[in-house]
Amino acid sequence: MRPFHISLMIAATAWAGIAAAQTRWDLPAAYQGSSFHTENLVQFVSDIDRATNGKLKITVHANASLFKAPEIKRAVQTGQAQIGEILLVNHQNEWQIYGADGLPFLAASYDESTKLYKAQKPMLEKKFAEQGLLLLYAVPWPPQGIFSKKPINSAADLKGAKWRAYSPATSRIAEILGAQPVTVQQAELTLAMATGVVESYMSSGATGYDTKSHEHLKYFYDIQAWLPKNAVLVNKAAFEALDKPTQAAVLKAASVAENRGWVVSRAKNSEYLELLKKNGMNVLAPSSQLKADMQRVGDTMLQEWLQKAGPEGQSLVDAYRKL
């Protein structure tokens, strides 16, 4: 055989070895590519790619293009995707602790959210492990306010409004307020506002800007009700199939992504509100009446949640309040 052909065979064998050694994962995410959460995910997978010299390649599928938001957790559990990003509060009906960071005014600032996560994290890790999952990191959205098509001076002004509900907690808020809950995930929110399906909703300035809410709703009331967290989960079996250096690279990149995400979320909060103003949205502080009304909603929901969550929920709230 000619030396040239032998060289080709050696090269082909080498490439085959590299291909065999390379692991490819899919990472479904529910939010737009421009979302700071998605940008953080992209940096996270880039850090893994670099740390493993391309041994672990992860593809981010943004904007619910692979699975819809409520489907992502199950997809990772069943191995349809190896890794994914979820909004914890979406899964409150499965386990009440998932909804703790969606309770109005329980943890309404970044400092309070940090304490709640510290109390919640061991419980989350234990539950995920039971479900064949591993928690890699979690990052909060900025504080939640109310977007509305019309001015709001009190909770009574929201009665009958078409209210976007994306989680059990946001559905319950609608019921208490007498609004009409409409289930709409973020990927469909822009169209829902444009067609009049949604007239009001609670979310962060980040969501408002990413979905161009300023083109359809003209008021944002910065009530700072809660900071829901996105969590990045990996299928435990898929993770354990990696060699030790690759596992270490994933965990290190996750730690860096979590720290980076919290810093960016804080910085982006005021930035997004300024962008909304610049695009014609009225960004307002809530009236004392609206704030008092929403605080009562929060008190009601906390009591209801504690009844459902039982001793486990009470232990979480107690641990959080001691920090």
Side-chain angles (χ1 to χ4, degrees), residues 10-30:
I10 292 170
T13 303
W15 276 110
I18 292 168
Q22 190 180 74
T23 301
R24 291 186 173 272
W25 284 0
D26 288 308
L27 194 166

Side-chain angles (χ1 to χ4, degrees), residues 51-131:
T52 64
N53 292 316
K55 199 170 184 180
L56 176 57
K57 290 277 188 186
I58 304 174
T59 302
V60 176
H61 301 271
N63 206 32
S65 58
L66 193 59
F67 294 99
K68 291 180 179 178
E71 300 169 352
I72 293 173
K73 180 174 176 287
R74 173 61 59 183
V76 178
Q77 276 181 259
T78 56
Q80 293 172 276
Q82 297 79 14
I83 184 171
E85 182 187 50
I86 69 166
L87 182 65
L88 287 170
V89 296
N90 270 351
H91 302 280
Q92 181 179 335
N93 285 342
E94 178 188 336
W95 185 49
Q96 289 298 315
I97 304 302
Y98 288 141
D101 56 8
L103 294 169
F105 306 108
L106 175 63
S109 68
Y110 281 99
D111 288 346
E112 290 175 352
S113 183
T114 299
K115 290 177 183 178
L116 181 60
Y117 183 40
K118 189 174 180 181
Q120 190 185 21
K121 191 174 182 181
M123 301 171 79
L124 291 173
E125 289 175 332
K126 184 173 182 289
K127 175 62 75 171
F128 286 137
E130 291 168 2
Q131 298 179 331

Side-chain angles (χ1 to χ4, degrees), residues 17 51 79 102 106 119 127 151 172 203 218-219 222 252 272:
L106 175 63
K127 175 62 75 171
R172 181 61 184 137
S203 195
K218 291 305 173 187
Y219 298 89
D222 190 16
K252 183 179 179 182
Y272 280 125

